[in-house]
PDB file of all heavy atoms in Angstrom:
ATOM      1  N   THR A 979      31.687  52.840 -62.201  1.00  0.00           N
ATOM      2  CA  THR A 979      31.633  51.386 -62.260  1.00  0.00           C
ATOM      3  C   THR A 979      30.275  50.970 -62.805  1.00  0.00           C
ATOM      4  O   THR A 979      29.260  51.596 -62.497  1.00  0.00           O
ATOM      5  CB  THR A 979      31.817  50.767 -60.859  1.00  0.00           C
ATOM      6  OG1 THR A 979      32.951  51.346 -60.219  1.00  0.00           O
ATOM      7  CG2 THR A 979      32.000  49.260 -60.941  1.00  0.00           C
ATOM      8  N   CYS A 980      30.242  49.933 -63.619  1.00  0.00           N
ATOM      9  CA  CYS A 980      28.983  49.366 -64.109  1.00  0.00           C
ATOM     10  C   CYS A 980      29.043  47.849 -63.979  1.00  0.00           C
ATOM     11  O   CYS A 980      30.124  47.250 -63.999  1.00  0.00           O
ATOM     12  CB  CYS A 980      28.729  49.742 -65.570  1.00  0.00           C
ATOM     13  SG  CYS A 980      28.450  51.502 -65.876  1.00  0.00           S
ATOM     14  N   ALA A 981      27.871  47.229 -63.867  1.00  0.00           N
ATOM     15  CA  ALA A 981      27.802  45.775 -63.759  1.00  0.00           C
ATOM     16  C   ALA A 981      26.485  45.275 -64.326  1.00  0.00           C
ATOM     17  O   ALA A 981      25.500  46.019 -64.389  1.00  0.00           O
ATOM     18  CB  ALA A 981      27.960  45.346 -62.301  1.00  0.00           C
ATOM     19  N   VAL A 982      26.474  44.012 -64.723  1.00  0.00           N
ATOM     20  CA  VAL A 982      25.281  43.353 -65.241  1.00  0.00           C
ATOM     21  C   VAL A 982      24.800  42.356 -64.201  1.00  0.00           C
ATOM     22  O   VAL A 982      25.586  41.569 -63.661  1.00  0.00           O
ATOM     23  CB  VAL A 982      25.570  42.640 -66.575  1.00  0.00           C
ATOM     24  CG1 VAL A 982      24.347  41.851 -67.036  1.00  0.00           C
ATOM     25  CG2 VAL A 982      25.983  43.640 -67.643  1.00  0.00           C
ATOM     26  N   THR A 983      23.491  42.394 -63.900  1.00  0.00           N
ATOM     27  CA  THR A 983      22.925  41.506 -62.897  1.00  0.00           C
ATOM     28  C   THR A 983      22.600  40.136 -63.492  1.00  0.00           C
ATOM     29  O   THR A 983      22.636  39.936 -64.711  1.00  0.00           O
ATOM     30  CB  THR A 983      21.636  42.086 -62.300  1.00  0.00           C
ATOM     31  OG1 THR A 983      20.612  42.060 -63.309  1.00  0.00           O
ATOM     32  CG2 THR A 983      21.843  43.524 -61.821  1.00  0.00           C
ATOM     33  N   ASP A 984      22.221  39.217 -62.600  1.00  0.00           N
ATOM     34  CA  ASP A 984      21.817  37.891 -63.065  1.00  0.00           C
ATOM     35  C   ASP A 984      20.479  37.922 -63.798  1.00  0.00           C
ATOM     36  O   ASP A 984      20.062  36.926 -64.394  1.00  0.00           O
ATOM     37  CB  ASP A 984      21.788  36.900 -61.902  1.00  0.00           C
ATOM     38  CG  ASP A 984      20.896  37.347 -60.750  1.00  0.00           C
ATOM     39  OD1 ASP A 984      20.226  38.406 -60.863  1.00  0.00           O
ATOM     40  OD2 ASP A 984      20.871  36.659 -59.719  1.00  0.00           O
ATOM     41  N   ALA A 985      19.803  39.087 -63.783  1.00  0.00           N
ATOM     42  CA  ALA A 985      18.586  39.278 -64.574  1.00  0.00           C
ATOM     43  C   ALA A 985      18.889  40.007 -65.883  1.00  0.00           C
ATOM     44  O   ALA A 985      17.967  40.457 -66.577  1.00  0.00           O
ATOM     45  CB  ALA A 985      17.554  40.062 -63.763  1.00  0.00           C
ATOM     46  N   SER A 986      20.179  40.157 -66.210  1.00  0.00           N
ATOM     47  CA  SER A 986      20.643  40.773 -67.462  1.00  0.00           C
ATOM     48  C   SER A 986      20.375  42.273 -67.540  1.00  0.00           C
ATOM     49  O   SER A 986      20.341  42.848 -68.629  1.00  0.00           O
ATOM     50  CB  SER A 986      20.042  40.071 -68.689  1.00  0.00           C
ATOM     51  OG  SER A 986      20.364  38.700 -68.701  1.00  0.00           O
ATOM     52  N   GLU A 987      20.208  42.913 -66.389  1.00  0.00           N
ATOM     53  CA  GLU A 987      20.047  44.359 -66.343  1.00  0.00           C
ATOM     54  C   GLU A 987      21.368  45.020 -65.995  1.00  0.00           C
ATOM     55  O   GLU A 987      22.171  44.468 -65.227  1.00  0.00           O
ATOM     56  CB  GLU A 987      18.988  44.754 -65.309  1.00  0.00           C
ATOM     57  CG  GLU A 987      17.596  44.272 -65.652  1.00  0.00           C
ATOM     58  CD  GLU A 987      16.574  44.657 -64.605  1.00  0.00           C
ATOM     59  OE1 GLU A 987      16.947  44.711 -63.415  1.00  0.00           O
ATOM     60  OE2 GLU A 987      15.412  44.892 -64.957  1.00  0.00           O
ATOM     61  N   ALA A 988      21.616  46.217 -66.557  1.00  0.00           N
ATOM     62  CA  ALA A 988      22.842  46.954 -66.276  1.00  0.00           C
ATOM     63  C   ALA A 988      22.591  47.998 -65.202  1.00  0.00           C
ATOM     64  O   ALA A 988      21.583  48.714 -65.233  1.00  0.00           O
ATOM     65  CB  ALA A 988      23.360  47.617 -67.543  1.00  0.00           C
ATOM     66  N   TYR A 989      23.500  48.074 -64.249  1.00  0.00           N
ATOM     67  CA  TYR A 989      23.488  49.089 -63.199  1.00  0.00           C
ATOM     68  C   TYR A 989      24.835  49.791 -63.193  1.00  0.00           C
ATOM     69  O   TYR A 989      25.874  49.166 -63.452  1.00  0.00           O
ATOM     70  CB  TYR A 989      23.242  48.459 -61.825  1.00  0.00           C
ATOM     71  CG  TYR A 989      21.806  48.079 -61.556  1.00  0.00           C
ATOM     72  CD1 TYR A 989      21.240  46.951 -62.136  1.00  0.00           C
ATOM     73  CD2 TYR A 989      21.017  48.853 -60.712  1.00  0.00           C
ATOM     74  CE1 TYR A 989      19.925  46.605 -61.897  1.00  0.00           C
ATOM     75  CE2 TYR A 989      19.688  48.512 -60.455  1.00  0.00           C
ATOM     76  CZ  TYR A 989      19.147  47.388 -61.052  1.00  0.00           C
ATOM     77  OH  TYR A 989      17.843  47.052 -60.809  1.00  0.00           O
ATOM     78  N   CYS A 990      24.833  51.090 -62.901  1.00  0.00           N
ATOM     79  CA  CYS A 990      26.069  51.863 -62.828  1.00  0.00           C
ATOM     80  C   CYS A 990      26.072  52.751 -61.594  1.00  0.00           C
ATOM     81  O   CYS A 990      25.011  53.078 -61.047  1.00  0.00           O
ATOM     82  CB  CYS A 990      26.253  52.725 -64.075  1.00  0.00           C
ATOM     83  SG  CYS A 990      26.462  51.800 -65.622  1.00  0.00           S
ATOM     84  N   TRP A 991      27.281  53.157 -61.171  1.00  0.00           N
ATOM     85  CA  TRP A 991      27.414  54.055 -60.027  1.00  0.00           C
ATOM     86  C   TRP A 991      28.745  54.799 -60.117  1.00  0.00           C
ATOM     87  O   TRP A 991      29.659  54.386 -60.821  1.00  0.00           O
ATOM     88  CB  TRP A 991      27.288  53.294 -58.710  1.00  0.00           C
ATOM     89  CG  TRP A 991      28.226  52.131 -58.536  1.00  0.00           C
ATOM     90  CD1 TRP A 991      29.452  52.120 -57.920  1.00  0.00           C
ATOM     91  CD2 TRP A 991      28.007  50.768 -58.949  1.00  0.00           C
ATOM     92  NE1 TRP A 991      30.003  50.864 -57.932  1.00  0.00           N
ATOM     93  CE2 TRP A 991      29.137  50.011 -58.550  1.00  0.00           C
ATOM     94  CE3 TRP A 991      26.958  50.111 -59.619  1.00  0.00           C
ATOM     95  CZ2 TRP A 991      29.253  48.648 -58.808  1.00  0.00           C
ATOM     96  CZ3 TRP A 991      27.087  48.751 -59.872  1.00  0.00           C
ATOM     97  CH2 TRP A 991      28.212  48.034 -59.469  1.00  0.00           C
ATOM     98  N   GLY A 992      28.814  55.959 -59.429  1.00  0.00           N
ATOM     99  CA  GLY A 992      30.036  56.765 -59.431  1.00  0.00           C
ATOM    100  C   GLY A 992      29.867  58.062 -60.203  1.00  0.00           C
ATOM    101  O   GLY A 992      28.782  58.651 -60.259  1.00  0.00           O
ATOM    102  N   ASN A 993      30.947  58.508 -60.823  1.00  0.00           N
ATOM    103  CA  ASN A 993      30.968  59.766 -61.568  1.00  0.00           C
ATOM    104  C   ASN A 993      30.046  59.697 -62.789  1.00  0.00           C
ATOM    105  O   ASN A 993      30.063  58.720 -63.533  1.00  0.00           O
ATOM    106  CB  ASN A 993      32.408  60.061 -61.997  1.00  0.00           C
ATOM    107  CG  ASN A 993      32.556  61.417 -62.645  1.00  0.00           C
ATOM    108  OD1 ASN A 993      31.660  62.244 -62.612  1.00  0.00           O
ATOM    109  ND2 ASN A 993      33.713  61.659 -63.237  1.00  0.00           N
ATOM    110  N   ASN A 994      29.267  60.768 -63.000  1.00  0.00           N
ATOM    111  CA  ASN A 994      28.302  60.786 -64.096  1.00  0.00           C
ATOM    112  C   ASN A 994      28.312  62.123 -64.833  1.00  0.00           C
ATOM    113  O   ASN A 994      27.300  62.558 -65.363  1.00  0.00           O
ATOM    114  CB  ASN A 994      26.897  60.495 -63.556  1.00  0.00           C
ATOM    115  CG  ASN A 994      25.902  60.145 -64.641  1.00  0.00           C
ATOM    116  OD1 ASN A 994      26.262  59.581 -65.669  1.00  0.00           O
ATOM    117  ND2 ASN A 994      24.634  60.480 -64.416  1.00  0.00           N
ATOM    118  N   SER A 995      29.481  62.770 -64.880  1.00  0.00           N
ATOM    119  CA  SER A 995      29.586  64.137 -65.401  1.00  0.00           C
ATOM    120  C   SER A 995      29.155  64.272 -66.851  1.00  0.00           C
ATOM    121  O   SER A 995      28.710  65.345 -67.282  1.00  0.00           O
ATOM    122  CB  SER A 995      31.027  64.643 -65.244  1.00  0.00           C
ATOM    123  OG  SER A 995      31.930  63.778 -65.918  1.00  0.00           O
ATOM    124  N   VAL A 996      29.293  63.202 -67.651  1.00  0.00           N
ATOM    125  CA  VAL A 996      28.905  63.254 -69.068  1.00  0.00           C
ATOM    126  C   VAL A 996      27.924  62.148 -69.429  1.00  0.00           C
ATOM    127  O   VAL A 996      27.825  61.748 -70.588  1.00  0.00           O
ATOM    128  CB  VAL A 996      30.150  63.197 -69.989  1.00  0.00           C
ATOM    129  CG1 VAL A 996      30.941  64.485 -69.925  1.00  0.00           C
ATOM    130  CG2 VAL A 996      31.039  62.006 -69.640  1.00  0.00           C
ATOM    131  N   GLY A 997      27.211  61.649 -68.431  1.00  0.00           N
ATOM    132  CA  GLY A 997      26.196  60.634 -68.690  1.00  0.00           C
ATOM    133  C   GLY A 997      26.704  59.216 -68.746  1.00  0.00           C
ATOM    134  O   GLY A 997      25.997  58.316 -69.198  1.00  0.00           O
ATOM    135  N   GLN A 998      27.921  58.962 -68.235  1.00  0.00           N
ATOM    136  CA  GLN A 998      28.518  57.629 -68.346  1.00  0.00           C
ATOM    137  C   GLN A 998      27.824  56.559 -67.510  1.00  0.00           C
ATOM    138  O   GLN A 998      28.124  55.374 -67.646  1.00  0.00           O
ATOM    139  CB  GLN A 998      30.018  57.670 -68.029  1.00  0.00           C
ATOM    140  CG  GLN A 998      30.388  58.140 -66.626  1.00  0.00           C
ATOM    141  CD  GLN A 998      30.739  59.611 -66.569  1.00  0.00           C
ATOM    142  OE1 GLN A 998      30.010  60.453 -67.080  1.00  0.00           O
ATOM    143  NE2 GLN A 998      31.859  59.929 -65.938  1.00  0.00           N
ATOM    144  N   LEU A 999      26.875  56.957 -66.655  1.00  0.00           N
ATOM    145  CA  LEU A 999      26.098  55.960 -65.909  1.00  0.00           C
ATOM    146  C   LEU A 999      24.873  55.492 -66.685  1.00  0.00           C
ATOM    147  O   LEU A 999      24.253  54.487 -66.323  1.00  0.00           O
ATOM    148  CB  LEU A 999      25.662  56.517 -64.546  1.00  0.00           C
ATOM    149  CG  LEU A 999      26.778  56.971 -63.589  1.00  0.00           C
ATOM    150  CD1 LEU A 999      26.189  57.263 -62.214  1.00  0.00           C
ATOM    151  CD2 LEU A 999      27.897  55.940 -63.488  1.00  0.00           C
ATOM    152  N   GLY A1000      24.503  56.233 -67.718  1.00  0.00           N
ATOM    153  CA  GLY A1000      23.399  55.807 -68.574  1.00  0.00           C
ATOM    154  C   GLY A1000      22.033  55.855 -67.930  1.00  0.00           C
ATOM    155  O   GLY A1000      21.121  55.121 -68.327  1.00  0.00           O
ATOM    156  N   ILE A1001      21.848  56.758 -66.965  1.00  0.00           N
ATOM    157  CA  ILE A1001      20.606  56.781 -66.189  1.00  0.00           C
ATOM    158  C   ILE A1001      19.685  57.926 -66.593  1.00  0.00           C
ATOM    159  O   ILE A1001      18.689  58.209 -65.926  1.00  0.00           O
ATOM    160  CB  ILE A1001      20.910  56.867 -64.682  1.00  0.00           C
ATOM    161  CG1 ILE A1001      21.688  58.144 -64.345  1.00  0.00           C
ATOM    162  CG2 ILE A1001      21.675  55.634 -64.234  1.00  0.00           C
ATOM    163  CD1 ILE A1001      21.901  58.374 -62.853  1.00  0.00           C
ATOM    164  N   GLY A1002      20.008  58.623 -67.680  1.00  0.00           N
ATOM    165  CA  GLY A1002      19.160  59.696 -68.167  1.00  0.00           C
ATOM    166  C   GLY A1002      19.410  61.042 -67.535  1.00  0.00           C
ATOM    167  O   GLY A1002      18.642  61.984 -67.744  1.00  0.00           O
ATOM    168  N   SER A1003      20.486  61.169 -66.775  1.00  0.00           N
ATOM    169  CA  SER A1003      20.864  62.438 -66.160  1.00  0.00           C
ATOM    170  C   SER A1003      22.371  62.486 -66.029  1.00  0.00           C
ATOM    171  O   SER A1003      23.077  61.547 -66.433  1.00  0.00           O
ATOM    172  CB  SER A1003      20.226  62.585 -64.771  1.00  0.00           C
ATOM    173  OG  SER A1003      20.915  61.784 -63.812  1.00  0.00           O
ATOM    174  N   VAL A1004      22.897  63.593 -65.471  1.00  0.00           N
ATOM    175  CA  VAL A1004      24.342  63.698 -65.231  1.00  0.00           C
ATOM    176  C   VAL A1004      24.619  63.827 -63.732  1.00  0.00           C
ATOM    177  O   VAL A1004      25.632  64.374 -63.320  1.00  0.00           O
ATOM    178  CB  VAL A1004      24.964  64.882 -66.002  1.00  0.00           C
ATOM    179  CG1 VAL A1004      24.965  64.616 -67.487  1.00  0.00           C
ATOM    180  CG2 VAL A1004      24.251  66.190 -65.678  1.00  0.00           C
ATOM    181  N   ALA A1005      23.739  63.279 -62.915  1.00  0.00           N
ATOM    182  CA  ALA A1005      23.921  63.302 -61.466  1.00  0.00           C
ATOM    183  C   ALA A1005      24.747  62.096 -61.028  1.00  0.00           C
ATOM    184  O   ALA A1005      24.456  60.956 -61.416  1.00  0.00           O
ATOM    185  CB  ALA A1005      22.565  63.292 -60.758  1.00  0.00           C
ATOM    186  N   ASP A1006      25.791  62.338 -60.220  1.00  0.00           N
ATOM    187  CA  ASP A1006      26.580  61.236 -59.673  1.00  0.00           C
ATOM    188  C   ASP A1006      25.703  60.342 -58.798  1.00  0.00           C
ATOM    189  O   ASP A1006      24.714  60.803 -58.209  1.00  0.00           O
ATOM    190  CB  ASP A1006      27.742  61.771 -58.832  1.00  0.00           C
ATOM    191  CG  ASP A1006      28.779  62.540 -59.646  1.00  0.00           C
ATOM    192  OD1 ASP A1006      28.706  62.498 -60.891  1.00  0.00           O
ATOM    193  OD2 ASP A1006      29.656  63.170 -59.031  1.00  0.00           O
ATOM    194  N   GLN A1007      26.093  59.074 -58.698  1.00  0.00           N
ATOM    195  CA  GLN A1007      25.346  58.121 -57.881  1.00  0.00           C
ATOM    196  C   GLN A1007      26.320  57.309 -57.026  1.00  0.00           C
ATOM    197  O   GLN A1007      27.287  56.748 -57.546  1.00  0.00           O
ATOM    198  CB  GLN A1007      24.533  57.164 -58.761  1.00  0.00           C
ATOM    199  CG  GLN A1007      23.542  57.841 -59.684  1.00  0.00           C
ATOM    200  CD  GLN A1007      22.389  58.484 -58.961  1.00  0.00           C
ATOM    201  OE1 GLN A1007      21.929  57.986 -57.927  1.00  0.00           O
ATOM    202  NE2 GLN A1007      21.897  59.614 -59.476  1.00  0.00           N
ATOM    203  N   ALA A1008      26.056  57.237 -55.728  1.00  0.00           N
ATOM    204  CA  ALA A1008      26.919  56.481 -54.820  1.00  0.00           C
ATOM    205  C   ALA A1008      26.413  55.065 -54.578  1.00  0.00           C
ATOM    206  O   ALA A1008      27.035  54.298 -53.846  1.00  0.00           O
ATOM    207  CB  ALA A1008      27.053  57.224 -53.483  1.00  0.00           C
ATOM    208  N   SER A1009      25.287  54.718 -55.194  1.00  0.00           N
ATOM    209  CA  SER A1009      24.719  53.373 -55.098  1.00  0.00           C
ATOM    210  C   SER A1009      24.316  52.913 -56.499  1.00  0.00           C
ATOM    211  O   SER A1009      24.071  53.744 -57.381  1.00  0.00           O
ATOM    212  CB  SER A1009      23.492  53.369 -54.183  1.00  0.00           C
ATOM    213  OG  SER A1009      23.827  53.747 -52.863  1.00  0.00           O
ATOM    214  N   PRO A1010      24.229  51.612 -56.738  1.00  0.00           N
ATOM    215  CA  PRO A1010      23.850  51.122 -58.063  1.00  0.00           C
ATOM    216  C   PRO A1010      22.523  51.693 -58.529  1.00  0.00           C
ATOM    217  O   PRO A1010      21.533  51.675 -57.792  1.00  0.00           O
ATOM    218  CB  PRO A1010      23.762  49.604 -57.859  1.00  0.00           C
ATOM    219  CG  PRO A1010      24.663  49.324 -56.709  1.00  0.00           C
ATOM    220  CD  PRO A1010      24.533  50.510 -55.797  1.00  0.00           C
ATOM    221  N   THR A1011      22.517  52.206 -59.750  1.00  0.00           N
ATOM    222  CA  THR A1011      21.324  52.790 -60.355  1.00  0.00           C
ATOM    223  C   THR A1011      21.114  52.147 -61.718  1.00  0.00           C
ATOM    224  O   THR A1011      22.054  52.030 -62.506  1.00  0.00           O
ATOM    225  CB  THR A1011      21.480  54.315 -60.489  1.00  0.00           C
ATOM    226  OG1 THR A1011      21.782  54.877 -59.197  1.00  0.00           O
ATOM    227  CG2 THR A1011      20.204  54.944 -61.021  1.00  0.00           C
ATOM    228  N   ARG A1012      19.884  51.734 -61.988  1.00  0.00           N
ATOM    229  CA  ARG A1012      19.609  50.980 -63.209  1.00  0.00           C
ATOM    230  C   ARG A1012      19.777  51.850 -64.451  1.00  0.00           C
ATOM    231  O   ARG A1012      19.316  52.982 -64.513  1.00  0.00           O
ATOM    232  CB  ARG A1012      18.192  50.411 -63.163  1.00  0.00           C
ATOM    233  CG  ARG A1012      17.863  49.461 -64.301  1.00  0.00           C
ATOM    234  CD  ARG A1012      16.472  48.862 -64.112  1.00  0.00           C
ATOM    235  NE  ARG A1012      16.111  47.999 -65.220  1.00  0.00           N
ATOM    236  CZ  ARG A1012      15.571  48.414 -66.354  1.00  0.00           C
ATOM    237  NH1 ARG A1012      15.304  49.704 -66.522  1.00  0.00           N
ATOM    238  NH2 ARG A1012      15.277  47.559 -67.314  1.00  0.00           N
ATOM    239  N   VAL A1013      20.469  51.315 -65.446  1.00  0.00           N
ATOM    240  CA  VAL A1013      20.663  51.989 -66.723  1.00  0.00           C
ATOM    241  C   VAL A1013      19.326  52.063 -67.447  1.00  0.00           C
ATOM    242  O   VAL A1013      18.554  51.096 -67.466  1.00  0.00           O
ATOM    243  CB  VAL A1013      21.706  51.237 -67.572  1.00  0.00           C
ATOM    244  CG1 VAL A1013      21.812  51.823 -68.974  1.00  0.00           C
ATOM    245  CG2 VAL A1013      23.064  51.279 -66.874  1.00  0.00           C
ATOM    246  N   GLU A1014      19.043  53.227 -68.050  1.00  0.00           N
ATOM    247  CA  GLU A1014      17.746  53.472 -68.691  1.00  0.00           C
ATOM    248  C   GLU A1014      17.649  52.793 -70.049  1.00  0.00           C
ATOM    249  O   GLU A1014      17.947  53.377 -71.095  1.00  0.00           O
ATOM    250  CB  GLU A1014      17.522  54.982 -68.861  1.00  0.00           C
ATOM    251  CG  GLU A1014      16.862  55.635 -67.680  1.00  0.00           C
ATOM    252  CD  GLU A1014      16.122  56.906 -68.074  1.00  0.00           C
ATOM    253  OE1 GLU A1014      16.188  57.330 -69.242  1.00  0.00           O
ATOM    254  OE2 GLU A1014      15.480  57.487 -67.198  1.00  0.00           O
ATOM    255  N   THR A1015      17.235  51.551 -70.053  1.00  0.00           N
ATOM    256  CA  THR A1015      17.018  50.809 -71.297  1.00  0.00           C
ATOM    257  C   THR A1015      16.258  49.534 -70.993  1.00  0.00           C
ATOM    258  O   THR A1015      16.322  49.002 -69.867  1.00  0.00           O
ATOM    259  CB  THR A1015      18.353  50.457 -71.976  1.00  0.00           C
ATOM    260  OG1 THR A1015      18.107  49.710 -73.168  1.00  0.00           O
ATOM    261  CG2 THR A1015      19.241  49.635 -71.060  1.00  0.00           C
ATOM    262  N   SER A1016      15.535  49.038 -71.998  1.00  0.00           N
ATOM    263  CA  SER A1016      14.855  47.754 -71.853  1.00  0.00           C
ATOM    264  C   SER A1016      15.724  46.611 -72.377  1.00  0.00           C
ATOM    265  O   SER A1016      15.338  45.446 -72.286  1.00  0.00           O
ATOM    266  CB  SER A1016      13.521  47.777 -72.612  1.00  0.00           C
ATOM    267  OG  SER A1016      13.741  48.042 -73.999  1.00  0.00           O
ATOM    268  N   ALA A1017      16.897  46.964 -72.928  1.00  0.00           N
ATOM    269  CA  ALA A1017      17.803  45.943 -73.458  1.00  0.00           C
ATOM    270  C   ALA A1017      18.297  45.044 -72.329  1.00  0.00           C
ATOM    271  O   ALA A1017      18.450  45.475 -71.182  1.00  0.00           O
ATOM    272  CB  ALA A1017      18.978  46.601 -74.165  1.00  0.00           C
ATOM    273  N   ARG A1018      18.563  43.801 -72.654  1.00  0.00           N
ATOM    274  CA  ARG A1018      19.088  42.841 -71.686  1.00  0.00           C
ATOM    275  C   ARG A1018      20.516  42.491 -72.091  1.00  0.00           C
ATOM    276  O   ARG A1018      20.777  42.126 -73.238  1.00  0.00           O
ATOM    277  CB  ARG A1018      18.214  41.588 -71.648  1.00  0.00           C
ATOM    278  CG  ARG A1018      16.826  41.859 -71.052  1.00  0.00           C
ATOM    279  CD  ARG A1018      16.956  42.262 -69.586  1.00  0.00           C
ATOM    280  NE  ARG A1018      15.666  42.527 -68.955  1.00  0.00           N
ATOM    281  CZ  ARG A1018      15.162  43.736 -68.797  1.00  0.00           C
ATOM    282  NH1 ARG A1018      15.826  44.802 -69.268  1.00  0.00           N
ATOM    283  NH2 ARG A1018      14.014  43.907 -68.192  1.00  0.00           N
ATOM    284  N   PHE A1019      21.427  42.600 -71.137  1.00  0.00           N
ATOM    285  CA  PHE A1019      22.846  42.534 -71.453  1.00  0.00           C
ATOM    286  C   PHE A1019      23.516  41.261 -70.933  1.00  0.00           C
ATOM    287  O   PHE A1019      23.084  40.664 -69.940  1.00  0.00           O
ATOM    288  CB  PHE A1019      23.560  43.749 -70.869  1.00  0.00           C
ATOM    289  CG  PHE A1019      23.108  45.060 -71.463  1.00  0.00           C
ATOM    290  CD1 PHE A1019      22.354  45.962 -70.726  1.00  0.00           C
ATOM    291  CD2 PHE A1019      23.422  45.380 -72.775  1.00  0.00           C
ATOM    292  CE1 PHE A1019      21.934  47.166 -71.272  1.00  0.00           C
ATOM    293  CE2 PHE A1019      23.009  46.573 -73.333  1.00  0.00           C
ATOM    294  CZ  PHE A1019      22.256  47.470 -72.583  1.00  0.00           C
ATOM    295  N   ALA A1020      24.608  40.899 -71.622  1.00  0.00           N
ATOM    296  CA  ALA A1020      25.431  39.771 -71.204  1.00  0.00           C
ATOM    297  C   ALA A1020      26.702  40.235 -70.524  1.00  0.00           C
ATOM    298  O   ALA A1020      27.226  39.557 -69.634  1.00  0.00           O
ATOM    299  CB  ALA A1020      25.778  38.901 -72.413  1.00  0.00           C
ATOM    300  N   SER A1021      27.231  41.404 -70.948  1.00  0.00           N
ATOM    301  CA  SER A1021      28.495  41.892 -70.385  1.00  0.00           C
ATOM    302  C   SER A1021      28.572  43.397 -70.547  1.00  0.00           C
ATOM    303  O   SER A1021      27.847  43.993 -71.348  1.00  0.00           O
ATOM    304  CB  SER A1021      29.692  41.234 -71.082  1.00  0.00           C
ATOM    305  OG  SER A1021      29.702  41.560 -72.465  1.00  0.00           O
ATOM    306  N   VAL A1022      29.479  44.004 -69.794  1.00  0.00           N
ATOM    307  CA  VAL A1022      29.674  45.447 -69.824  1.00  0.00           C
ATOM    308  C   VAL A1022      31.164  45.741 -69.849  1.00  0.00           C
ATOM    309  O   VAL A1022      31.968  44.964 -69.317  1.00  0.00           O
ATOM    310  CB  VAL A1022      28.991  46.119 -68.602  1.00  0.00           C
ATOM    311  CG1 VAL A1022      29.615  45.656 -67.296  1.00  0.00           C
ATOM    312  CG2 VAL A1022      28.995  47.626 -68.721  1.00  0.00           C
ATOM    313  N   THR A1023      31.547  46.837 -70.503  1.00  0.00           N
ATOM    314  CA  THR A1023      32.945  47.251 -70.590  1.00  0.00           C
ATOM    315  C   THR A1023      32.992  48.774 -70.560  1.00  0.00           C
ATOM    316  O   THR A1023      32.098  49.432 -71.108  1.00  0.00           O
ATOM    317  CB  THR A1023      33.614  46.701 -71.866  1.00  0.00           C
ATOM    318  OG1 THR A1023      34.968  47.157 -71.928  1.00  0.00           O
ATOM    319  CG2 THR A1023      32.883  47.137 -73.118  1.00  0.00           C
TER     320      THR A1023
END
């Protein structure tokens, strides 16, 4: 799962076997972890 905060930052959590959380590793996360980028987002899919 991924979501965009009211500060336009992306956070992801859950399965990360191929880097789908975008956090710079392939470790699963059970809590929201900030996506590794300085970009500011409006939406996620």
Side-chain angles (χ1 to χ4, degrees):
T979 311
C980 294
V982 175
T983 69
D984 56 4
S986 302
E987 295 179 327
Y989 283 76
C990 296
W991 55 94
N993 186 11
N994 195 30
S995 58
V996 289
Q998 61 264 49
L999 301 190
I1001 61 174
S1003 76
V1004 291
D1006 294 350
Q1007 302 291 326
S1009 298
T1011 305
R1012 188 176 177 275
V1013 173
E1014 271 205 355
T1015 179
S1016 59
R1018 292 295 180 262
F1019 296 109
S1021 62
V1022 63
T1023 179

